[in-house]
Amino acid sequence: MVDAAMALAVSDAALHSFQGVEPANALRLNKEAQLAFWTRRNRFRGVRLQLKAFGANPRDPEIAGNLAFLHLKVNPLQPEVARQLALHAIAIRGSRFRPGRLEDWNTYAIASALTGRNVDARNALFVAMALANDVERNCIAGRSAIANYGERLREPVEAMLYRIHMQGRGYESAYCAWPPDWVARARYQ
C-alpha cells in the first residue's frame, strides 16, 4: 500500500505551476487554525483559517491533511470532502513525508469508512500500521475512531487489530488485544 501511494506522486513541475501560492502566509494561517481548534476549541474559526491556509498553499501536505481532519470535526460531518483532501495530502506529500503522514492515512481511513468504502478504510489502516513505529498509537486511534464516529469504523478497525494480532504485535499494548474487548463482551451477553 505504501508503494502504491508513492506511485501517486505529483510532479514538481505540476505543483510549481499553481499561481498565487503564498507559503509563508499559509504556514501562519495553518498555525492560527490549529491554535483556534485545539487551544481555543473554536471549530468554526479553525476550519475557516485552515481553508484560507489551503487557499494560500494547496500543495502543502500538512495544510491539506489538517483541513481534511477538520472536515471530520464540523457539524454536519463532511466525510467525502475529508476523504478527497486526505488523498490529496497523501499524493502531494513532498520530501518530508514520502509515504504520507500517519495522520493523513488515519483521516483517509475514517472518511472512507464513513462513506461506505470499508476496503479503502481497512487498507489505509494497514498503511498507517506499517508507517507507525509503535502500533499502540494505531490501536488507540482505531478505538477512538469507533468511539467518535460509530459502528461504521468497527469492521476496518477489527481488521487492523486482527492483523496486529496475527503479526504477533498485539502484546505491545492492551489497546491492541485480540479479540477486542467489545467482541469479548458481546460473547458473554
Side-chain angles (χ1 to χ4, degrees), residues 26-50 53 62 66 69-70:
L27 290 175
R28 181 186 57 76
L29 289 165
N30 182 58
K31 285 181 184 177
E32 286 180 28
Q34 296 305 300
L35 181 68
F37 180 79
W38 291 106
T39 305
R40 297 191 181 119
R41 303 285 187 220
N42 189 332
R43 290 179 181 186
F44 177 74
R45 181 164 169 72
V47 171
R48 194 167 45 85
L49 288 167
Q50 197 65 46
E62 184 175 348
N66 290 344
F69 171 80
L70 289 176

PDB file of all heavy atoms in Angstrom, residues 26-50 53 62 66 69-70:
ATOM      1  N   ALA A  26       0.494  30.878   4.277  1.00  0.00           N
ATOM      2  CA  ALA A  26      -0.199  29.612   4.507  1.00  0.00           C
ATOM      3  C   ALA A  26       0.232  28.978   5.828  1.00  0.00           C
ATOM      4  O   ALA A  26      -0.607  28.487   6.587  1.00  0.00           O
ATOM      5  CB  ALA A  26       0.058  28.658   3.346  1.00  0.00           C
ATOM      6  N   LEU A  27       1.529  28.979   6.103  1.00  0.00           N
ATOM      7  CA  LEU A  27       2.020  28.406   7.359  1.00  0.00           C
ATOM      8  C   LEU A  27       1.503  29.173   8.570  1.00  0.00           C
ATOM      9  O   LEU A  27       1.140  28.586   9.588  1.00  0.00           O
ATOM     10  CB  LEU A  27       3.544  28.366   7.366  1.00  0.00           C
ATOM     11  CG  LEU A  27       4.187  27.368   6.402  1.00  0.00           C
ATOM     12  CD1 LEU A  27       5.704  27.517   6.414  1.00  0.00           C
ATOM     13  CD2 LEU A  27       3.769  25.950   6.739  1.00  0.00           C
ATOM     14  N   ARG A  28       1.463  30.495   8.452  1.00  0.00           N
ATOM     15  CA  ARG A  28       0.932  31.321   9.547  1.00  0.00           C
ATOM     16  C   ARG A  28      -0.543  31.001   9.788  1.00  0.00           C
ATOM     17  O   ARG A  28      -0.971  30.782  10.925  1.00  0.00           O
ATOM     18  CB  ARG A  28       1.102  32.802   9.222  1.00  0.00           C
ATOM     19  CG  ARG A  28       0.594  33.746  10.318  1.00  0.00           C
ATOM     20  CD  ARG A  28       0.649  35.202   9.896  1.00  0.00           C
ATOM     21  NE  ARG A  28      -0.084  35.505   8.683  1.00  0.00           N
ATOM     22  CZ  ARG A  28      -1.417  35.615   8.602  1.00  0.00           C
ATOM     23  NH1 ARG A  28      -2.158  35.423   9.671  1.00  0.00           N
ATOM     24  NH2 ARG A  28      -2.009  35.916   7.453  1.00  0.00           N
ATOM     25  N   LEU A  29      -1.314  30.915   8.714  1.00  0.00           N
ATOM     26  CA  LEU A  29      -2.736  30.600   8.837  1.00  0.00           C
ATOM     27  C   LEU A  29      -2.951  29.189   9.386  1.00  0.00           C
ATOM     28  O   LEU A  29      -3.865  28.950  10.181  1.00  0.00           O
ATOM     29  CB  LEU A  29      -3.433  30.758   7.482  1.00  0.00           C
ATOM     30  CG  LEU A  29      -3.599  32.195   6.990  1.00  0.00           C
ATOM     31  CD1 LEU A  29      -3.947  32.216   5.510  1.00  0.00           C
ATOM     32  CD2 LEU A  29      -4.668  32.912   7.811  1.00  0.00           C
ATOM     33  N   ASN A  30      -2.108  28.259   8.967  1.00  0.00           N
ATOM     34  CA  ASN A  30      -2.192  26.884   9.470  1.00  0.00           C
ATOM     35  C   ASN A  30      -1.983  26.857  10.984  1.00  0.00           C
ATOM     36  O   ASN A  30      -2.738  26.209  11.711  1.00  0.00           O
ATOM     37  CB  ASN A  30      -1.151  26.012   8.757  1.00  0.00           C
ATOM     38  CG  ASN A  30      -1.204  24.566   9.187  1.00  0.00           C
ATOM     39  OD1 ASN A  30      -2.233  23.907   9.075  1.00  0.00           O
ATOM     40  ND2 ASN A  30      -0.089  24.067   9.688  1.00  0.00           N
ATOM     41  N   LYS A  31      -0.972  27.588  11.463  1.00  0.00           N
ATOM     42  CA  LYS A  31      -0.714  27.646  12.907  1.00  0.00           C
ATOM     43  C   LYS A  31      -1.883  28.281  13.650  1.00  0.00           C
ATOM     44  O   LYS A  31      -2.293  27.806  14.708  1.00  0.00           O
ATOM     45  CB  LYS A  31       0.571  28.417  13.192  1.00  0.00           C
ATOM     46  CG  LYS A  31       1.816  27.643  12.884  1.00  0.00           C
ATOM     47  CD  LYS A  31       3.061  28.435  13.215  1.00  0.00           C
ATOM     48  CE  LYS A  31       4.298  27.655  12.807  1.00  0.00           C
ATOM     49  NZ  LYS A  31       5.525  28.406  13.036  1.00  0.00           N
ATOM     50  N   GLU A  32      -2.420  29.362  13.087  1.00  0.00           N
ATOM     51  CA  GLU A  32      -3.568  30.025  13.712  1.00  0.00           C
ATOM     52  C   GLU A  32      -4.779  29.097  13.755  1.00  0.00           C
ATOM     53  O   GLU A  32      -5.518  29.079  14.742  1.00  0.00           O
ATOM     54  CB  GLU A  32      -3.920  31.308  12.955  1.00  0.00           C
ATOM     55  CG  GLU A  32      -2.956  32.451  13.175  1.00  0.00           C
ATOM     56  CD  GLU A  32      -3.360  33.701  12.400  1.00  0.00           C
ATOM     57  OE1 GLU A  32      -4.570  33.896  12.139  1.00  0.00           O
ATOM     58  OE2 GLU A  32      -2.475  34.486  12.050  1.00  0.00           O
ATOM     59  N   ALA A  33      -4.994  28.340  12.673  1.00  0.00           N
ATOM     60  CA  ALA A  33      -6.121  27.416  12.617  1.00  0.00           C
ATOM     61  C   ALA A  33      -5.987  26.325  13.675  1.00  0.00           C
ATOM     62  O   ALA A  33      -6.961  25.991  14.368  1.00  0.00           O
ATOM     63  CB  ALA A  33      -6.224  26.794  11.228  1.00  0.00           C
ATOM     64  N   GLN A  34      -4.789  25.795  13.818  1.00  0.00           N
ATOM     65  CA  GLN A  34      -4.558  24.749  14.810  1.00  0.00           C
ATOM     66  C   GLN A  34      -4.744  25.300  16.222  1.00  0.00           C
ATOM     67  O   GLN A  34      -5.330  24.635  17.082  1.00  0.00           O
ATOM     68  CB  GLN A  34      -3.163  24.140  14.630  1.00  0.00           C
ATOM     69  CG  GLN A  34      -2.978  23.417  13.308  1.00  0.00           C
ATOM     70  CD  GLN A  34      -4.021  22.337  13.080  1.00  0.00           C
ATOM     71  OE1 GLN A  34      -4.136  21.401  13.857  1.00  0.00           O
ATOM     72  NE2 GLN A  34      -4.797  22.487  12.027  1.00  0.00           N
ATOM     73  N   LEU A  35      -4.285  26.508  16.445  1.00  0.00           N
ATOM     74  CA  LEU A  35      -4.464  27.156  17.741  1.00  0.00           C
ATOM     75  C   LEU A  35      -5.952  27.363  18.032  1.00  0.00           C
ATOM     76  O   LEU A  35      -6.429  27.076  19.138  1.00  0.00           O
ATOM     77  CB  LEU A  35      -3.716  28.490  17.772  1.00  0.00           C
ATOM     78  CG  LEU A  35      -3.778  29.273  19.069  1.00  0.00           C
ATOM     79  CD1 LEU A  35      -3.014  28.545  20.169  1.00  0.00           C
ATOM     80  CD2 LEU A  35      -3.175  30.662  18.866  1.00  0.00           C
ATOM     81  N   ALA A  36      -6.681  27.852  17.046  1.00  0.00           N
ATOM     82  CA  ALA A  36      -8.114  28.093  17.226  1.00  0.00           C
ATOM     83  C   ALA A  36      -8.855  26.787  17.531  1.00  0.00           C
ATOM     84  O   ALA A  36      -9.723  26.753  18.408  1.00  0.00           O
ATOM     85  CB  ALA A  36      -8.707  28.749  15.976  1.00  0.00           C
ATOM     86  N   PHE A  37      -8.509  25.731  16.823  1.00  0.00           N
ATOM     87  CA  PHE A  37      -9.217  24.470  17.004  1.00  0.00           C
ATOM     88  C   PHE A  37      -8.831  23.771  18.303  1.00  0.00           C
ATOM     89  O   PHE A  37      -9.689  23.388  19.094  1.00  0.00           O
ATOM     90  CB  PHE A  37      -8.960  23.526  15.821  1.00  0.00           C
ATOM     91  CG  PHE A  37      -9.661  22.214  15.962  1.00  0.00           C
ATOM     92  CD1 PHE A  37     -11.011  22.109  15.682  1.00  0.00           C
ATOM     93  CD2 PHE A  37      -8.986  21.089  16.412  1.00  0.00           C
ATOM     94  CE1 PHE A  37     -11.679  20.905  15.839  1.00  0.00           C
ATOM     95  CE2 PHE A  37      -9.637  19.875  16.571  1.00  0.00           C
ATOM     96  CZ  PHE A  37     -10.988  19.786  16.281  1.00  0.00           C
ATOM     97  N   TRP A  38      -7.537  23.591  18.532  1.00  0.00           N
ATOM     98  CA  TRP A  38      -7.083  22.783  19.662  1.00  0.00           C
ATOM     99  C   TRP A  38      -7.057  23.541  20.984  1.00  0.00           C
ATOM    100  O   TRP A  38      -7.404  22.987  22.027  1.00  0.00           O
ATOM    101  CB  TRP A  38      -5.696  22.209  19.384  1.00  0.00           C
ATOM    102  CG  TRP A  38      -5.730  21.180  18.300  1.00  0.00           C
ATOM    103  CD1 TRP A  38      -5.278  21.331  17.022  1.00  0.00           C
ATOM    104  CD2 TRP A  38      -6.277  19.861  18.370  1.00  0.00           C
ATOM    105  NE1 TRP A  38      -5.496  20.190  16.295  1.00  0.00           N
ATOM    106  CE2 TRP A  38      -6.113  19.265  17.110  1.00  0.00           C
ATOM    107  CE3 TRP A  38      -6.885  19.128  19.374  1.00  0.00           C
ATOM    108  CZ2 TRP A  38      -6.527  17.970  16.823  1.00  0.00           C
ATOM    109  CZ3 TRP A  38      -7.296  17.827  19.097  1.00  0.00           C
ATOM    110  CH2 TRP A  38      -7.115  17.267  17.833  1.00  0.00           C
ATOM    111  N   THR A  39      -6.628  24.787  20.977  1.00  0.00           N
ATOM    112  CA  THR A  39      -6.474  25.524  22.225  1.00  0.00           C
ATOM    113  C   THR A  39      -7.743  26.277  22.600  1.00  0.00           C
ATOM    114  O   THR A  39      -8.197  26.221  23.735  1.00  0.00           O
ATOM    115  CB  THR A  39      -5.285  26.500  22.132  1.00  0.00           C
ATOM    116  OG1 THR A  39      -4.132  25.748  21.771  1.00  0.00           O
ATOM    117  CG2 THR A  39      -5.042  27.201  23.449  1.00  0.00           C
ATOM    118  N   ARG A  40      -8.289  26.953  21.629  1.00  0.00           N
ATOM    119  CA  ARG A  40      -9.476  27.778  21.914  1.00  0.00           C
ATOM    120  C   ARG A  40     -10.787  27.035  21.710  1.00  0.00           C
ATOM    121  O   ARG A  40     -11.849  27.567  21.977  1.00  0.00           O
ATOM    122  CB  ARG A  40      -9.432  29.028  21.047  1.00  0.00           C
ATOM    123  CG  ARG A  40      -8.223  29.883  21.385  1.00  0.00           C
ATOM    124  CD  ARG A  40      -8.296  31.235  20.726  1.00  0.00           C
ATOM    125  NE  ARG A  40      -7.108  31.981  21.066  1.00  0.00           N
ATOM    126  CZ  ARG A  40      -6.232  32.419  20.190  1.00  0.00           C
ATOM    127  NH1 ARG A  40      -6.419  32.221  18.904  1.00  0.00           N
ATOM    128  NH2 ARG A  40      -5.160  33.084  20.580  1.00  0.00           N
ATOM    129  N   ARG A  41     -10.703  25.807  21.175  1.00  0.00           N
ATOM    130  CA  ARG A  41     -11.887  24.972  20.938  1.00  0.00           C
ATOM    131  C   ARG A  41     -12.925  25.657  20.056  1.00  0.00           C
ATOM    132  O   ARG A  41     -14.121  25.526  20.256  1.00  0.00           O
ATOM    133  CB  ARG A  41     -12.526  24.539  22.250  1.00  0.00           C
ATOM    134  CG  ARG A  41     -11.605  23.804  23.172  1.00  0.00           C
ATOM    135  CD  ARG A  41     -11.399  22.412  22.665  1.00  0.00           C
ATOM    136  NE  ARG A  41     -10.639  21.630  23.636  1.00  0.00           N
ATOM    137  CZ  ARG A  41      -9.710  20.778  23.291  1.00  0.00           C
ATOM    138  NH1 ARG A  41      -9.430  20.595  22.037  1.00  0.00           N
ATOM    139  NH2 ARG A  41      -9.066  20.101  24.202  1.00  0.00           N
ATOM    140  N   ASN A  42     -12.438  26.419  19.087  1.00  0.00           N
ATOM    141  CA  ASN A  42     -13.325  27.140  18.178  1.00  0.00           C
ATOM    142  C   ASN A  42     -13.251  26.460  16.810  1.00  0.00           C
ATOM    143  O   ASN A  42     -12.413  26.791  15.974  1.00  0.00           O
ATOM    144  CB  ASN A  42     -12.900  28.605  18.089  1.00  0.00           C
ATOM    145  CG  ASN A  42     -13.894  29.449  17.337  1.00  0.00           C
ATOM    146  OD1 ASN A  42     -14.611  28.966  16.462  1.00  0.00           O
ATOM    147  ND2 ASN A  42     -13.931  30.725  17.664  1.00  0.00           N
ATOM    148  N   ARG A  43     -14.133  25.486  16.598  1.00  0.00           N
ATOM    149  CA  ARG A  43     -14.117  24.706  15.351  1.00  0.00           C
ATOM    150  C   ARG A  43     -14.357  25.580  14.123  1.00  0.00           C
ATOM    151  O   ARG A  43     -13.686  25.427  13.114  1.00  0.00           O
ATOM    152  CB  ARG A  43     -15.167  23.604  15.398  1.00  0.00           C
ATOM    153  CG  ARG A  43     -14.828  22.527  16.370  1.00  0.00           C
ATOM    154  CD  ARG A  43     -15.901  21.480  16.386  1.00  0.00           C
ATOM    155  NE  ARG A  43     -15.542  20.469  17.374  1.00  0.00           N
ATOM    156  CZ  ARG A  43     -16.207  19.375  17.562  1.00  0.00           C
ATOM    157  NH1 ARG A  43     -17.264  19.118  16.846  1.00  0.00           N
ATOM    158  NH2 ARG A  43     -15.816  18.508  18.471  1.00  0.00           N
ATOM    159  N   PHE A  44     -15.348  26.438  14.217  1.00  0.00           N
ATOM    160  CA  PHE A  44     -15.699  27.270  13.069  1.00  0.00           C
ATOM    161  C   PHE A  44     -14.509  28.114  12.628  1.00  0.00           C
ATOM    162  O   PHE A  44     -14.151  28.141  11.450  1.00  0.00           O
ATOM    163  CB  PHE A  44     -16.905  28.162  13.406  1.00  0.00           C
ATOM    164  CG  PHE A  44     -17.273  29.098  12.298  1.00  0.00           C
ATOM    165  CD1 PHE A  44     -17.912  28.627  11.164  1.00  0.00           C
ATOM    166  CD2 PHE A  44     -16.976  30.444  12.386  1.00  0.00           C
ATOM    167  CE1 PHE A  44     -18.239  29.490  10.127  1.00  0.00           C
ATOM    168  CE2 PHE A  44     -17.294  31.318  11.361  1.00  0.00           C
ATOM    169  CZ  PHE A  44     -17.940  30.837  10.228  1.00  0.00           C
ATOM    170  N   ARG A  45     -13.877  28.803  13.563  1.00  0.00           N
ATOM    171  CA  ARG A  45     -12.713  29.640  13.229  1.00  0.00           C
ATOM    172  C   ARG A  45     -11.557  28.775  12.722  1.00  0.00           C
ATOM    173  O   ARG A  45     -10.869  29.145  11.780  1.00  0.00           O
ATOM    174  CB  ARG A  45     -12.280  30.463  14.436  1.00  0.00           C
ATOM    175  CG  ARG A  45     -11.092  31.370  14.167  1.00  0.00           C
ATOM    176  CD  ARG A  45     -10.937  32.432  15.249  1.00  0.00           C
ATOM    177  NE  ARG A  45      -9.698  33.144  15.160  1.00  0.00           N
ATOM    178  CZ  ARG A  45      -9.380  34.043  14.230  1.00  0.00           C
ATOM    179  NH1 ARG A  45     -10.254  34.317  13.270  1.00  0.00           N
ATOM    180  NH2 ARG A  45      -8.221  34.659  14.230  1.00  0.00           N
ATOM    181  N   GLY A  46     -11.343  27.620  13.344  1.00  0.00           N
ATOM    182  CA  GLY A  46     -10.277  26.725  12.916  1.00  0.00           C
ATOM    183  C   GLY A  46     -10.447  26.290  11.466  1.00  0.00           C
ATOM    184  O   GLY A  46      -9.503  26.335  10.673  1.00  0.00           O
ATOM    185  N   VAL A  47     -11.656  25.894  11.103  1.00  0.00           N
ATOM    186  CA  VAL A  47     -11.927  25.468   9.724  1.00  0.00           C
ATOM    187  C   VAL A  47     -11.755  26.640   8.770  1.00  0.00           C
ATOM    188  O   VAL A  47     -11.160  26.508   7.692  1.00  0.00           O
ATOM    189  CB  VAL A  47     -13.332  24.850   9.597  1.00  0.00           C
ATOM    190  CG1 VAL A  47     -13.699  24.613   8.138  1.00  0.00           C
ATOM    191  CG2 VAL A  47     -13.410  23.548  10.373  1.00  0.00           C
ATOM    192  N   ARG A  48     -12.280  27.800   9.147  1.00  0.00           N
ATOM    193  CA  ARG A  48     -12.182  28.989   8.275  1.00  0.00           C
ATOM    194  C   ARG A  48     -10.723  29.365   8.010  1.00  0.00           C
ATOM    195  O   ARG A  48     -10.327  29.604   6.869  1.00  0.00           O
ATOM    196  CB  ARG A  48     -12.939  30.157   8.910  1.00  0.00           C
ATOM    197  CG  ARG A  48     -13.188  31.317   7.978  1.00  0.00           C
ATOM    198  CD  ARG A  48     -14.199  32.313   8.535  1.00  0.00           C
ATOM    199  NE  ARG A  48     -14.016  32.669   9.914  1.00  0.00           N
ATOM    200  CZ  ARG A  48     -13.189  33.620  10.345  1.00  0.00           C
ATOM    201  NH1 ARG A  48     -12.480  34.309   9.499  1.00  0.00           N
ATOM    202  NH2 ARG A  48     -13.088  33.893  11.629  1.00  0.00           N
ATOM    203  N   LEU A  49      -9.902  29.372   9.066  1.00  0.00           N
ATOM    204  CA  LEU A  49      -8.484  29.696   8.898  1.00  0.00           C
ATOM    205  C   LEU A  49      -7.749  28.613   8.111  1.00  0.00           C
ATOM    206  O   LEU A  49      -6.882  28.913   7.286  1.00  0.00           O
ATOM    207  CB  LEU A  49      -7.823  29.893  10.267  1.00  0.00           C
ATOM    208  CG  LEU A  49      -8.213  31.172  11.004  1.00  0.00           C
ATOM    209  CD1 LEU A  49      -7.756  31.105  12.457  1.00  0.00           C
ATOM    210  CD2 LEU A  49      -7.625  32.383  10.305  1.00  0.00           C
ATOM    211  N   GLN A  50      -8.099  27.352   8.354  1.00  0.00           N
ATOM    212  CA  GLN A  50      -7.444  26.264   7.639  1.00  0.00           C
ATOM    213  C   GLN A  50      -7.784  26.311   6.156  1.00  0.00           C
ATOM    214  O   GLN A  50      -6.943  26.030   5.302  1.00  0.00           O
ATOM    215  CB  GLN A  50      -7.845  24.916   8.242  1.00  0.00           C
ATOM    216  CG  GLN A  50      -6.931  23.777   7.859  1.00  0.00           C
ATOM    217  CD  GLN A  50      -5.529  23.946   8.416  1.00  0.00           C
ATOM    218  OE1 GLN A  50      -5.348  24.272   9.581  1.00  0.00           O
ATOM    219  NE2 GLN A  50      -4.528  23.733   7.591  1.00  0.00           N
ATOM    220  N   ALA A  53      -5.612  28.885   4.705  1.00  0.00           N
ATOM    221  CA  ALA A  53      -4.243  28.350   4.572  1.00  0.00           C
ATOM    222  C   ALA A  53      -4.150  27.470   3.330  1.00  0.00           C
ATOM    223  O   ALA A  53      -3.181  27.558   2.571  1.00  0.00           O
ATOM    224  CB  ALA A  53      -3.863  27.553   5.819  1.00  0.00           C
ATOM    225  N   GLU A  62       0.803  19.043   4.827  1.00  0.00           N
ATOM    226  CA  GLU A  62       0.340  19.196   6.205  1.00  0.00           C
ATOM    227  C   GLU A  62      -0.916  20.063   6.260  1.00  0.00           C
ATOM    228  O   GLU A  62      -1.870  19.756   6.969  1.00  0.00           O
ATOM    229  CB  GLU A  62       1.440  19.800   7.072  1.00  0.00           C
ATOM    230  CG  GLU A  62       1.042  19.889   8.531  1.00  0.00           C
ATOM    231  CD  GLU A  62       2.160  20.382   9.418  1.00  0.00           C
ATOM    232  OE1 GLU A  62       3.323  20.460   8.968  1.00  0.00           O
ATOM    233  OE2 GLU A  62       1.857  20.682  10.579  1.00  0.00           O
ATOM    234  N   ASN A  66      -4.464  18.696   7.473  1.00  0.00           N
ATOM    235  CA  ASN A  66      -5.157  19.327   8.601  1.00  0.00           C
ATOM    236  C   ASN A  66      -6.575  19.740   8.202  1.00  0.00           C
ATOM    237  O   ASN A  66      -7.510  19.600   8.992  1.00  0.00           O
ATOM    238  CB  ASN A  66      -4.377  20.533   9.112  1.00  0.00           C
ATOM    239  CG  ASN A  66      -3.097  20.143   9.815  1.00  0.00           C
ATOM    240  OD1 ASN A  66      -2.911  18.996  10.192  1.00  0.00           O
ATOM    241  ND2 ASN A  66      -2.196  21.089   9.978  1.00  0.00           N
ATOM    242  N   PHE A  69      -8.743  16.639   8.164  1.00  0.00           N
ATOM    243  CA  PHE A  69      -9.106  16.266   9.528  1.00  0.00           C
ATOM    244  C   PHE A  69     -10.236  17.145  10.056  1.00  0.00           C
ATOM    245  O   PHE A  69     -11.199  16.646  10.655  1.00  0.00           O
ATOM    246  CB  PHE A  69      -7.875  16.370  10.436  1.00  0.00           C
ATOM    247  CG  PHE A  69      -8.186  16.221  11.891  1.00  0.00           C
ATOM    248  CD1 PHE A  69      -8.383  14.970  12.446  1.00  0.00           C
ATOM    249  CD2 PHE A  69      -8.290  17.341  12.711  1.00  0.00           C
ATOM    250  CE1 PHE A  69      -8.683  14.832  13.795  1.00  0.00           C
ATOM    251  CE2 PHE A  69      -8.586  17.211  14.056  1.00  0.00           C
ATOM    252  CZ  PHE A  69      -8.786  15.951  14.598  1.00  0.00           C
ATOM    253  N   LEU A  70     -10.145  18.446   9.834  1.00  0.00           N
ATOM    254  CA  LEU A  70     -11.160  19.362  10.352  1.00  0.00           C
ATOM    255  C   LEU A  70     -12.527  19.133   9.711  1.00  0.00           C
ATOM    256  O   LEU A  70     -13.557  19.396  10.339  1.00  0.00           O
ATOM    257  CB  LEU A  70     -10.713  20.814  10.178  1.00  0.00           C
ATOM    258  CG  LEU A  70      -9.563  21.241  11.088  1.00  0.00           C
ATOM    259  CD1 LEU A  70      -9.134  22.673  10.777  1.00  0.00           C
ATOM    260  CD2 LEU A  70      -9.926  21.095  12.558  1.00  0.00           C
TER     261      LEU A  70
END
